[in-house]
Amino acid sequence: MDPVQVNLGGVPETLLWNLYQRATEARQDHPVLRDPKAVALVEAIDYPFAARFGSGELGQWQALRAATFDREVRRFLGTHPDGTVVALGEGLETQFWRVDNGRVHWLTVDLPETVEVRTRLLGTATGRQSVAAVSALDPAWMDQVDPRRGVLVTAQGLLMYLQPAEVHGLVADLAQRFPGAELVLDGVPPWFSQRTQAGQMRTKQGYVTPPMPWALDAAERRRLLAIPGVDEVRDLVPPRGRGPLHGWVAPVVNRSARVRALGLTGLPILRLRFAAA
Ligand SMILES: C[S@@+](CC[C@H](N)C(=O)[O-])C[C@H]1O[C@@H](n2cnc3c(N)ncnc32)[C@H](O)[C@@H]1O
């Protein structure tokens, strides 16, 4: 197969960073996340991954983040085996193939230029998989969801790129449209958000992370909980990884409510539950 050209910029290009990190981890002897499809995608894409992003030093960190989302999807499918997972800003995530139980319904929601790339690389979504090529902020995608079998919405690596008012509006819309559903999301701490907005987050190779205006700390958790229809906001702790940092330090730090309150954890991941109708 000829290498596939991918020309993305701005926020959509960040999906290649995530994919590359996951694939780098998946190539390890004992990966924290098995993801052969991510490896195949990186091999198929004509893009200077190493020249832009380095050698994938954050692979394990990224894979543990994805593993936390996988755990939530599997937990949801345990009680809703033929429920609907809506993956907002899915990019080239290969989660469907990691968690598919043969019954789940899956809706990918992403921007048109990203959906075009996803379709070229992963094929047209058919059967239990479908796609909405619109912004997550466009409520049109919600009409594609049949809520009767249960709904889990994920937003992995998306909300930090939105404005705070957009995040709050989206959460309010989801709570109203999908009573009883859950939303799993991740964010970045305020210091990280500030650095991206100052253009100071760059790889050694010169790739500059786009601005991340939405930050997640204790005050923001309270704001999310105050949104009408949000019943519960729960912190999720990633699984234990390999080595001193991911095997010992991160698990202790991520479990500390005080560290979380200070916005110092590297991996704030939350599950929101919406009030039932
Ligand atoms: C960092 S990537 C995350 C991709 C994937 N979720 C992952 O974790 O590998 C950000 C993704 O958000 C998408 N995106 C950016 N703005 C969006 C919006 N308003 N609505 C839906 N998707 C958006 C981009 O196209 C890209 O796929």
Side-chain angles (χ1 to χ4, degrees), residues 51-252:
R52 291 281 277 164
F53 304 143
S55 59
E57 297 90 343
L58 293 175
Q60 189 180 175
W61 177 85
Q62 177 63 29
L64 288 169
R65 182 161 84 153
T68 312
F69 280 78
D70 284 7
R71 195 178 61 199
E72 288 304 302
V73 174
R74 290 195 181 99
R75 188 188 54 79
F76 167 73
L77 294 179
T79 49
H80 304 82
D82 52 3
T84 301
V85 174
V86 181
L88 301 178
E90 189 166 29
L92 285 176
E93 241 298 5
T94 39
Q95 186 179 45
F96 174 81
W97 293 273
R98 296 195 302 267
V99 301
D100 184 22
N101 64 352
R103 290 170 66 182
V104 61
H105 293 74
W106 199 275
L107 175 62
T108 299
V109 180
D110 209 313
L111 301 174
E113 64 264 41
T114 299
V115 167
E116 187 272 327
V117 168
R118 187 175 168 90
T119 305
R120 243 183 322 129
L121 282 154
L122 290 168
T124 303
T126 54
R128 291 177 290 113
Q129 287 180 274
S130 54
V131 68
V134 295
S135 167
L137 301 173
D138 180 343
W141 67 259
M142 298 182 188
D143 296 337
Q144 284 184 235
V145 180
D146 176 356
R148 288 173 300 182
R149 296 181 301 262
V151 178
L152 175 71
V153 183
T154 67
Q156 183 188 346
L158 168 67
L159 300 184
M160 57 286 275
Y161 297 106
L162 304 180
Q163 295 296 329
E166 292 175 327
V167 174
H168 299 160
L170 175 61
V171 171
D173 287 351
L174 291 172
Q176 199 208 350
R177 259 322 262 279
F178 303 116
E182 293 177 324
L183 167 67
V184 183
L185 60 88
D186 58 1
V188 295
W191 65 267
F192 194 97
S193 162
Q194 281 152 18
R195 291 198 63 185
T196 62
Q197 293 186 83
Q200 291 168 348
M201 289 308 283
R202 57 173 66 224
T203 64
K204 282 190 227 120
Q205 295 71 23
Y207 171 73
V208 181
T209 305
M212 299 182 177
W214 183 66
L216 183 51
D217 61 4
E220 184 58 18
R221 280 178 184 76
R222 287 194 290 277
R223 278 181 220 113
L224 291 173
L225 187 55
I227 292 174
V230 177
D231 242 9
E232 184 187 70
V233 174
R234 181 181 285 256
D235 278 284
L236 302 178
V237 176
R240 187 180 286 275
R242 270 190 327 271
L245 176 61
H246 296 292
W248 299 103
V249 179
V252 173

Side-chain angles (χ1 to χ4, degrees), residues 8-14 207 210:
L8 294 169
V11 177
E13 189 181 9
T14 61
Y207 171 73

